């Protein structure tokens, strides 16, 4: 084989690897999604301003999260009592958050929300992992999942973390949520979570970085975008954590601010169902665009 033939062969191999990687990556790559979805208005949800992106009121989102988190808190009560002191609220220790109990989390979800979701291979070709409703029934307007990750204000640095990272979600106001559970992103989240802990107790959930998150909603970063053939059944909704959210339930929040001194409330992103969803269906999301 000549030198030219060898070079062409190597180029072909590299090109094929890139094409296979891109077919999976593009389903979460924002510029590609926006460009392609703009061709099909059915995949876009238009909003006139930030306050109009709410499919359901924030109070309803809070109610769903509190219901699930309280059930998780009760189910973890035996372990929490071991760490409780007269001067500390019942918070989960860092050691406990290596990984959650998937059976416990799924049971709590089914009992409180009426459905379960899990990560499985997507039905979309080359899309990798997806999220499915595995049990129960999801009514329209339900909080189906949370988008975990480190929260960056528009002025904060995220260049290194964003390289080859298909899990960076951009909110309407420019806030970014890095939902990558590997590499630099993983290290940043664990560092920020440890920084904000109260003594030995964490006030955010690091178990979403594992295969068994203790908060079963914290898999929203694996929900694939819709297509012409697979219409959206969920949509993203921004949700700022209320100041009155119980401190003992912060341990189930899969989000943390990049900067400790951030003055605004913690930004969370949830996925809300656009219609009734039955067990066995995969979740597909759409993107919103601001209409002036």
């Amino acid at each position: 084989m000549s030198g030219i033939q060898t070079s062409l062969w190597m180029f072909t191999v590299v090109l094929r690897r890139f094409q296979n990687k891109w077919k999976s990556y593009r389903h979460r790559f924002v510029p590609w999604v926006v460009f392609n979805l703009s061709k099909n208005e059915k995949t876009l949800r238009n909003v006139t301003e930030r306050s109009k992106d709410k499919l359901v009121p924030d109070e309803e989102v809070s109610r769903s999260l509190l219901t699930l988190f309280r059930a998780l808190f009760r189910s973890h009560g035996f372990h929490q009592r071991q760490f409780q002191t007269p001067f500390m609220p019942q918070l989960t220790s860092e050691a406990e958050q290596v990984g959650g109990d998937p059976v416990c989390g799924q049971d709590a979800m089914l009992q409180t929300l009426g459905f379960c979701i899990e990560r499985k291979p997507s039905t979309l070709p080359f899309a990798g992992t997806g999220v499915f409703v595995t049990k129960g029934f999801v009514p329209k307007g339900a909080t189906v999942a949370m988008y975990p990750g480190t929260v960056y204000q528009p002025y904060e640095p995220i260049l290194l973390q964003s390289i080859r990272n298909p899990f960076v979600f951009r909110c309407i106001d420019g806030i970014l949520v890095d939902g990558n559970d590997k590499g630099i992103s993983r290290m940043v989240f664990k560092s920020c979570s440890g920084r904000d802990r109260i003594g030995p107790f964490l006030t955010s959930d690091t178990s979403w970085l594992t295969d068994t998150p203790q908060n079963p909603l914290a898999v929203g970063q694996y929900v694939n975008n819709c297509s012409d053939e697979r219409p959206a059944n969920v949509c993203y909704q921004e949700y700022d954590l209320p100041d009155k959210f119980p401190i003992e339930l912060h341990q189930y929040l899969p989000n943390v601010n990049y900067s400790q001194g951030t003055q605004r409330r913690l930004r969370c992103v949830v996925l809300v169902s656009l219609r009734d969803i039955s067990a066995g269906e995969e979740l597909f999301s759409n993107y919103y665009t601001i209409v002036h």
Side-chain angles (χ1 to χ4, degrees):
M1 183 181 292
S2 68
I4 295 177
Q5 290 176 319
T6 302
S7 298
L8 288 174
W9 177 80
M10 293 180 63
F11 175 78
T12 302
V13 171
V14 171
L15 180 61
R16 286 176 179 172
R17 289 180 179 176
F18 172 79
Q19 288 174 333
N20 290 334
K21 189 73 174 178
W22 170 247
K23 287 176 181 178
S24 175
Y25 183 85
R26 67 185 186 183
H27 290 288
R28 296 189 181 94
F29 184 59
V30 174
W32 182 89
V33 169
V34 172
F35 175 77
N36 284 274
L37 296 191
S38 63
K39 301 176 184 177
N40 180 2
E41 293 185 357
K42 292 187 297 183
T43 60
L44 289 175
R45 186 165 62 90
N46 296 327
V47 296
T48 55
E49 55 187 85
R50 283 206 305 126
S51 61
K52 299 294 178 62
D53 82 305
K54 308 290 186 184
L55 192 66
V56 297
D58 282 349
E59 293 76 14
E60 185 62 33
V61 175
S62 293
R63 191 175 300 112
S64 297
L65 296 183
L66 288 171
T67 300
L68 174 62
F69 290 2
R70 283 169 177 153
L72 292 172
F73 187 79
R74 288 193 296 270
S75 67
H76 298 154
F78 173 77
H79 299 290
Q80 289 160 347
R81 283 193 294 271
Q82 298 181 61
F83 295 99
Q84 186 182 7
T85 72
F87 307 103
M88 293 290 294
Q90 294 181 352
L91 304 180
T92 301
S93 72
E94 183 174 10
E96 288 188 271
Q97 289 199 346
V98 172
D101 182 346
V103 176
C104 174
Q106 293 293 321
D107 286 347
M109 182 184 237
L110 185 61
Q111 293 171 8
T112 57
L113 303 183
F115 60 87
C116 293
I117 59 171
E118 292 183 43
R119 287 174 286 189
K120 293 184 176 182
S122 176
T123 57
L124 274 177
F126 307 106
T129 301
V131 178
F132 292 76
V133 177
T134 55
K135 294 180 183 178
F137 173 79
V138 180
K140 179 180 178 180
T143 300
V144 185
M146 299 184 71
Y147 199 100
T150 306
V151 179
Y152 293 82
Q153 302 303 312
Y155 52 84
E156 292 177 331
I158 192 177
L159 176 61
L160 288 179
Q161 298 91 308
S162 67
I163 296 174
R164 299 185 65 185
N165 182 356
F167 296 103
V168 178
F169 180 90
R170 185 183 187 277
C171 297
I172 293 177
D173 58 0
I175 289 177
L176 301 173
V177 183
D178 182 6
N180 194 352
D181 54 14
K182 298 178 177 62
I184 297 177
S185 300
R186 176 189 180 90
M187 292 187 291
V188 169
F189 188 92
K190 294 189 72 173
S191 175
C192 293
S193 179
R195 174 202 65 201
D196 292 345
R197 66 188 183 186
I198 301 174
F201 302 97
L202 292 175
T203 55
S204 59
D205 179 16
T206 60
S207 69
W208 70 272
L209 297 168
T210 72
D211 292 332
T212 55
Q214 66 172 350
N215 173 4
L217 291 176
V219 294
Q221 80 276 34
Y222 285 103
V223 173
N224 285 304
N225 298 304
C226 62
S227 64
D228 291 342
E229 296 76 24
R230 309 291 175 87
N233 50 20
V234 297
C235 68
Y236 298 102
Q237 179 167 315
E238 298 169 17
Y239 167 76
D240 290 336
L241 193 72
D243 293 331
K244 60 181 180 180
F245 201 88
I247 186 63
E248 68 272 16
L249 300 182
H250 280 221
Q251 62 185 295
Y252 302 113
L253 292 171
N255 298 102
V256 65
N257 283 315
Y258 176 73
S259 295
Q260 188 174 26
T262 303
Q263 298 299 313
R264 65 184 304 164
R265 292 181 294 171
L266 178 66
R267 170 64 53 82
C268 300
V269 176
V270 299
L271 287 97
V272 178
S273 54
L274 292 168
R275 61 169 175 81
D276 295 345
I277 307 174
S278 302
E281 290 191 66
E282 183 174 359
L283 302 182
F284 294 106
S285 63
N286 65 5
Y287 271 81
Y288 39 48
T289 181
I290 300 179
V291 178
H292 298 287

